[in-house]
Amino acid sequence: ALSVIIKLDKITEIRVYAIHQVCELAHSATSDDAQSDESTRRKTHPISAVSAELLNAVGARVSSKFKTERKDAITGLARIYYKHYVTKKLQLVQEGGEDVDIDEILDVLSKENMDKALEEKFSWIPQKVFESVFFSDEHDPDLRSRIFQIVDDIMLGTVKKEGAMLSPTSRAVGLAMILQTLQTKESANKWMCTLFSHRGNLQRSLASYLDARSKAKECESGSAEAFTADADAMEKLEKMAALCAPPAAAGKSSSEAGDLETVLRKLHAAKDKHIFRILSTIATPTHSPSARIRALDELPKRTKSLGNATSSWVRSMARRCAMGSLINSESIDTCIILSQECFEAGDSEAASHFLRCVKVATSIFPALGGTKEGFKNLAEFFDLCRTTVMTSAMKKEMEKYGIVTMISDILAKAAGSSRTGKKEKDTESVDTLRKQLHRTCTREGTPEQARNAVYAIAAMMNPRSKPITDLSVRARKENTEFEPILKALVNPSRLSIPDDDANSKTKDRIISVLTA
């Protein structure tokens, strides 16, 4: 009866009230296998008291045309998902800490060990969360801001000053779990990428504004150059504002645009330099969780003197810009490590789940794969895949799940942002990676792997952090890097067209070389 009310009742207030009741009932429930005494059992109820039908009825209201209804429905479902699905699935991983046995992680991702009833009841919720990204800022800015909050602080817990609700390993496994469920629904996966692309665009826009503002401040006060630079910075700030929710104080009146302009001018003219220093710490995707905590804590205090509307807008912008608990540098570095551990344990499928997390993240935030430890581990994993003596069964598994192809794709995206150390062991890993990339281009690599290898070599040669501006220097470096590859590719023995009697491996190799 309650599910019918949620789905069909014509009065919005009644539906919203029913949604609240179901979500509160489910969130306050205990696990079905929770141990408790008789007095506690009388005061509580198990999650089995809330049927899958009721939760699905709440999920159906996420697409409601009424803003409050869809926002409350998706928020309630996300809280239920974390408490009754994530914490249960990751219980042993969380208890194991950073030294958890790899078998515990493999069990979480294994389809054979899945609790079908648990999966049917809760695993679809992330799909609903990301499909809600369909509602843009033009349609419902409050919902878009709420989705950022759900993804950052609810689905896999949050990180506070007191510590994180889940360990980095648990969050990495949780991310792999979520992407695993999104694979079954392409639309949800697309909207997830849309949400994080929104964040990536906002970070780049914020960095561009801060750079322009800094240059304007360096100009002589009152000069024509200063006015031009200041106008350029203000234009960049307005572009950045287009990626944020409108000011909370601005209602539905025709003066909304004017209110936004006032907010932007107050922020741009702020005297407190710490505001912009704090913003600069979250303008890149590789910032730490502590940088996010500091930004969300300090910015409202420092912008309070600019007025409630400005302070609220800056906090909202910072929340959208800062990396949350789902995807950040810590979780992606952990995914890289876990993928290699799964591979070494002989489970290529599990390794592919973690690599997919890294691939999705680096396709939007390339720098996440270019951290010092992360890129070094990727290079080692790539070398491991190329040099390890494997059984034919393991080699087939590796090829089935595209392990080498995925790593080469990640390296191609992340190499331009890589921050390798100057220690001997760091330079050794880079040199080894170069050799393996050259080998991929000239020997047994597929066309896709060869293409990725060329992109990676080019990016490592001319990184974004230290681009080569002198064309002659760049030409010499390109000649040094690519001449050995070109010589190998134009070798007469490699270019001879195989006849009909040649084996399939030889034919594939010549096709791979020509395509690369």
Side-chain angles (χ1 to χ4, degrees):
L2 192 54
S3 63
V4 174
I5 291 174
I6 293 173
K7 287 180 179 179
L8 303 176
D9 199 285
K10 295 181 179 179
I11 302 175
T12 306
E13 289 76 11
I14 292 177
R15 293 198 307 273
V16 171
Y17 179 76
I19 288 169
H20 288 178
Q21 293 302 304
V22 170
C23 291
E24 188 56 40
L25 185 71
H27 189 262
S28 61
T30 58
S31 173
D32 290 333
D33 53 6
Q35 301 293 323
S36 58
D37 55 38
E38 185 64 30
S39 60
T40 304
R41 280 197 295 271
R42 289 175 182 174
K43 296 176 183 178
T44 59
H45 55 277
I47 187 58
S48 57
V50 181
S51 66
E53 182 187 6
L54 273 176
L55 294 179
N56 281 310
V58 174
R61 302 316 303 166
V62 172
S63 57
S64 169
K65 64 181 180 180
F66 297 100
K67 294 182 178 182
T68 301
E69 187 174 12
R70 60 191 181 223
K71 185 170 77 170
D72 291 357
I74 199 60
T75 304
L77 287 173
R79 292 174 69 225
I80 294 166
Y81 175 78
Y82 174 76
K83 181 174 181 180
H84 294 292
Y85 184 81
V86 171
T87 55
K88 184 170 183 177
K89 292 269 287 186
L90 298 178
Q91 182 180 355
L92 296 179
V93 177
Q94 180 68 9
E95 289 173 358
E98 293 309 296
D99 297 321
V100 62
D101 194 294
I102 191 64
D103 289 335
E104 299 290 359
I105 294 172
L106 297 178
D107 284 344
V108 172
L109 298 177
S110 173
K111 293 179 181 178
E112 296 177 4
N113 299 326
M114 283 184 176
D115 182 337
K116 291 184 179 178
L118 185 74
E119 298 298 320
E120 182 182 344
K121 198 167 187 176
F122 303 111
S123 66
W124 53 271
I125 292 176
Q127 295 176 356
K128 284 290 182 183
V129 170
F130 288 111
E131 284 175 347
S132 300
V133 179
F134 166 81
F135 296 99
S136 65
D137 277 327
E138 288 74 21
H139 291 95
D140 192 350
D142 288 342
L143 180 63
R144 176 59 68 91
S145 295
R146 178 60 59 86
I147 295 302
F148 272 112
Q149 185 179 0
I150 287 171
V151 169
D152 292 339
D153 295 318
I154 297 179
M155 289 179 71
L156 291 180
T158 188
V159 180
K160 298 180 179 179
K161 287 182 179 179
E162 301 78 29
M165 295 170 73
L166 293 176
S167 67
T169 300
S170 293
R171 280 185 274 124
V173 178
L175 174 59
M177 272 176 8
I178 289 172
L179 293 193
Q180 202 174 356
T181 61
L182 294 184
Q183 278 184 296
T184 61
K185 199 161 187 181
E186 185 58 34
S187 61
N189 190 62
K190 183 192 79 170
W191 288 117
M192 178 198 67
C193 293
T194 298
L195 184 74
F196 285 109
S197 294
H198 185 156
R199 171 164 286 164
N201 292 335
L202 179 56
Q203 288 177 350
R204 286 186 289 273
S205 187
L206 173 60
S208 178
Y209 162 66
L210 293 173
D211 184 54
R213 186 181 184 277
S214 177
K215 288 179 180 178
K217 293 296 180 182
E218 292 173 1
C219 298
E220 184 181 348
S221 179
S223 65
E225 185 184 7
F227 281 117
T228 302
D230 190 70
D232 179 57
M234 193 64 196
E235 185 180 345
K236 291 181 185 296
L237 178 59
E238 289 168 355
K239 288 181 179 179
M240 185 195 76
L243 297 168
C244 304
K252 297 180 180 179
S253 65
S254 59
S255 62
E256 184 172 337
D259 289 335
L260 176 60
E261 184 179 348
T262 301
V263 164
L264 297 183
R265 291 207 171 276
K266 282 185 177 181
L267 173 63
H268 184 63
K271 303 292 184 183
D272 190 346
K273 294 180 181 179
H274 288 288
I275 293 173
F276 303 99
R277 287 174 185 163
I278 293 170
L279 287 174
S280 68
T281 64
I282 58 171
T284 57
T286 53
H287 64 263
S288 64
S290 59
R292 178 179 188 263
I293 294 170
R294 179 173 177 246
L296 297 183
D297 183 50
E298 288 288 322
L299 284 172
K301 298 174 186 176
R302 292 191 174 276
T303 56
K304 190 175 180 180
S305 61
L306 304 179
N308 290 335
T310 304
S311 180
S312 176
W313 184 85
V314 170
R315 190 178 194 281
S316 173
M317 179 266 291
R319 180 176 284 282
R320 288 189 177 202
C321 193
M323 307 296 283
S325 62
L326 189 66
I327 292 181
N328 57 42
S329 60
E330 192 176 54
S331 63
I332 297 306
D333 280 352
T334 306
C335 281
I336 294 170
I337 294 170
L338 292 178
S339 64
Q340 184 171 344
E341 289 183 5
C342 290
F343 179 78
E344 291 173 340
D347 195 328
S348 292
E349 183 177 9
S352 72
H353 290 314
F354 287 112
L355 280 177
R356 184 168 179 269
C357 297
V358 183
K359 183 178 178 180
V360 168
T362 53
S363 67
I364 301 167
F365 307 102
L368 290 182
T371 61
K372 182 180 176 182
E373 285 302 313
F375 194 77
K376 189 180 90 170
N377 289 330
L378 278 170
E380 289 176 359
F381 192 6
F382 190 66
D383 183 57
L384 180 71
C385 292
R386 310 285 297 178
T387 58
T388 302
V389 178
M390 308 179 200
T391 62
S392 58
M394 189 174 179
K395 194 169 183 179
K396 284 181 181 178
E397 281 288 292
M398 185 176 72
E399 292 173 355
K400 176 182 176 182
Y401 294 105
I403 301 296
V404 174
T405 302
M406 269 201 280
I407 299 175
S408 68
D409 182 77
I410 295 164
L411 288 170
K413 292 183 174 72
S417 306
S418 62
R419 294 185 294 176
T420 52
K422 296 182 179 179
K423 294 181 180 179
E424 186 177 345
K425 61 180 181 180
D426 295 326
T427 55
E428 279 180 9
S429 65
V430 172
D431 291 339
T432 301
L433 174 60
R434 274 201 175 89
K435 290 176 183 177
Q436 291 297 348
L437 291 172
H438 279 246
R439 184 179 173 186
T440 301
C441 292
T442 58
R443 295 180 67 177
E444 64 268 15
T446 65
E448 185 177 359
Q449 291 167 5
R451 184 177 66 248
N452 290 335
V454 169
Y455 287 154
I457 293 168
M460 290 167 67
M461 181 189 67
N462 189 28
R464 296 187 189 94
S465 58
K466 295 179 180 179
I468 301 172
T469 54
D470 190 319
L471 293 179
S472 61
V473 173
R474 181 169 179 175
R476 284 196 298 272
K477 289 198 74 172
E478 286 178 348
N479 187 59
T480 303
E481 288 286 352
F482 292 112
E483 187 177 21
I485 297 175
L486 292 172
K487 282 183 177 179
L489 291 178
V490 298
N491 188 297
S493 64
R494 300 295 296 274
L495 292 176
S496 59
I497 306 299
D499 55 30
D500 294 336
D501 295 329
N503 61 47
S504 58
K505 187 175 181 180
T506 304
K507 292 179 180 179
D508 288 342
R509 181 170 296 174
I510 189 67
I511 292 170
S512 296
V513 170
L514 291 173
T515 308

